[in-house]
Amino acid sequence: MSPDNSAVPGADGGVPAWEQVMRAMLGDSADEAIRELQERGFDPAAMAAASGLPDDPAALQQVFAQVQALLAASGDDPVNWQMAHDLARQQAAAGGDPSLTVAQTRQVHDALGVAELWLDAATDLPPSAGTPKAWSRAEWVEATLPTWRTLTEPVASSLSVALVGALGGALPEGSADLGLPGGLEPGQLLRQLGSAVFGMQVGQAAGTLAHEVFGTTDIGLPLLDRPAPALVAANVDAFAEGLDAPVEEVRLFLALREAAATRLFTHVPWLRAHLLATVETYARGITIDADQLEDAVRSIDITDTAALQQALSGGVFAPHSTPAQVAALERLETALALVEGWVDEVATTAALPHLPHTMALREMIRRRRAAGGPAEQTFANLVGLELRPRRLRDAAALWAQIGRDNGAAARDAVWDHPDLLPGTEDLDDPSGYAARRATAVDDAAEVDRALAEILGEDPDTDPDA
């Protein structure tokens, strides 16, 4: 949309700020819209003051530009990804995010290289073929935002439909003839507003998370299409500040975790798709309590910004999970715990002969993952689940038990097929895993023999022969 220059905020200092914005947005329809608002008992000047609309021409120009950018968003995406990208980059740069120096890049590459050598003694899974990366926070945002799109769009789409249904029904009669900019229908405008809200939430969370993560696998899900070990140098250094362990030791320990997770996602090809598909299935099944949403909309006074903020933060728009989704969530949390537990066990085994502070660093990472952070909570609200394992310690104990019973090769072979993965019962009782697994194998053999007899085959014949 290209507004008339005469309506640009600041072009006429005698026109109130709110009127300048309305005239720039609605053009010739502004007089009618203002008159209708006044006839309905609304004072545009009071509404503008309640919303915090500035009177300063420069500040007003910025607000106007933001409104124009919002309404100019094209496409039907449930999340405004341009807004998410821009806000994530801004948030990542908060407090400074300089490009890495040659020395910082070399330190990260050296740590990842040493980590791969140490891991060779702890697991049979070979190194990833991906090129090791040393990143700034902005580079982390650029590399991982596509996966956040996969994670958040399904639930954003469901919420968008519900919001348009509830808010659209609350619009006054004749609202389709308000002359919205660009010929937008009210429903389309609401979708764009919802898309912008989600874009801001995702961008804010991704940018905040960029200050907290160490690499690409901190949340248990692989954030790259093609796994490659990477460390965010500034975050590694910030984490090491104030610790008793030298920064070089901390960097090596975090490099071991990143490289171990990358090996797992590289050489267990079904794992990434399995985890992301489970998240998507869970999110697409989310249902919205439309009655609760509509009641909340009716109760909101649009001139009372405090009431509006309270309603939005009070959970009235929160998705409601079905029993089937609760079961899916439990499966996902178990899978995330198994991934984190394997990484924890393998990285610790590789670090112990070399790093004096291994056990202390292990405990710090465990507590950090269990506590989460504000950005992770934001994604929990967006996606409807928390992307952190609740049973990391149990999973690590299970992998350690399997390794003691049968060796590292047998431990890693559990990842050969999703049907072989341990379940919640195994997390509850790691010492009994071997007996349960043997029983399951015997039961499967019994079924195979019964089928062979029914089909007239020799039950003792090797089916792979």
Side-chain angles (χ1 to χ4, degrees), residues 89 92-100 135-140 210-211 232 234:
R89 287 293 300 264
D97 183 36
S99 299
L100 268 60
W135 280 340
S136 65
R137 291 163 181 153
E139 288 171 321
W140 182 90
H211 287 264
V232 181

Side-chain angles (χ1 to χ4, degrees), residues 117-460:
L117 293 175
W118 292 354
L119 284 170
D120 287 340
T123 176
D124 289 341
L125 297 184
S128 165
T131 303
K133 307 288 186 181
W135 280 340
S136 65
R137 291 163 181 153
E139 288 171 321
W140 182 90
V141 167
E142 293 289 347
T144 63
L145 204 56
T147 299
W148 295 121
R149 181 168 190 157
T150 300
L151 291 172
T152 57
E153 275 202 339
V155 66
S157 180
S158 298
L159 288 171
S160 176
V161 172
L163 286 170
V164 170
L167 292 171
L171 289 174
E173 293 184 6
S175 58
D177 301 323
L178 286 178
L180 294 175
L184 289 177
E185 294 293 330
Q188 184 180 358
L189 176 61
L190 290 174
R191 282 190 293 273
Q192 288 194 356
L193 290 172
S195 173
V197 170
F198 268 91
M200 288 188 288
Q201 288 181 295
V202 174
Q204 179 73 22
T208 302
L209 200 57
H211 287 264
E212 302 174 3
V213 296
F214 300 130
T216 66
T217 58
D218 295 63
I219 65 167
L221 296 174
L223 297 179
L224 300 180
D225 289 337
R226 297 180 179 180
L231 290 179
V232 181
N235 294 348
V236 172
D237 293 344
F239 178 67
E241 290 180 4
L243 299 183
D244 291 335
V247 63
E248 294 81 10
E249 187 174 345
V250 175
R251 186 183 298 113
L252 280 166
F253 185 79
L254 297 176
L256 281 166
R257 289 182 53 83
E258 175 72 6
T262 303
R263 287 189 182 208
L264 183 63
F265 286 112
T266 297
H267 299 290
V268 183
W270 56 266
L271 183 55
R272 183 179 192 272
H274 172 74
L275 292 173
L276 295 183
T278 303
V279 173
E280 182 176 0
T281 300
Y282 173 89
R284 288 197 182 281
I286 286 176
T287 57
I288 309 300
D289 189 336
D291 292 336
Q292 183 184 11
L293 179 60
E294 191 169 350
D295 289 342
V297 170
R298 289 199 191 100
S299 67
I300 294 175
D301 179 0
I302 62 174
T303 66
D304 188 344
T305 55
L308 178 60
Q309 183 178 5
Q310 182 179 4
L312 289 173
S313 61
V316 295
F317 302 121
H320 298 268
S321 298
T322 64
Q325 287 175 292
V326 172
L329 178 57
E330 291 178 356
R331 292 194 299 271
L332 178 63
E333 289 181 338
T334 299
L336 289 174
L338 290 171
V339 169
E340 284 281 325
W342 185 90
V343 170
D344 180 86
E345 173 63 19
V346 170
T348 300
T349 300
L352 274 172
H354 309 282
L355 304 180
H357 295 86
T358 293
M359 299 311 294
L361 291 170
R362 180 191 204 185
E363 183 61 25
M364 290 192 68
I365 294 297
R366 283 181 169 185
R367 293 183 180 183
R368 188 176 188 269
R369 288 289 288 123
E376 287 188 63
Q377 185 57 50
T378 299
F379 279 117
N381 295 334
L382 287 174
V383 183
L385 52 86
E386 294 180 350
L387 298 177
R388 64 176 188 264
R390 299 180 183 274
R391 306 195 63 181
L392 166 58
R393 296 176 187 273
D394 297 333
L398 173 62
W399 290 118
Q401 184 68 50
I402 296 174
R404 286 192 296 269
D405 291 343
N406 302 297
R411 177 201 63 200
D412 298 344
V414 175
W415 294 104
D416 286 348
H417 193 277
D419 291 346
L420 299 177
L421 284 185
T424 54
E425 184 180 11
D426 301 310
L427 296 180
D428 294 335
D429 178 26
S431 61
Y433 170 79
R436 285 188 295 272
R437 190 68 207 152
T439 300
V441 171
D442 290 342
D443 291 345
E446 291 271 351
V447 173
D448 290 341
R449 281 193 291 270
L451 288 174
E453 291 176 359
I454 293 174
L455 298 173
E457 300 174 352
D458 183 356
D460 296 324

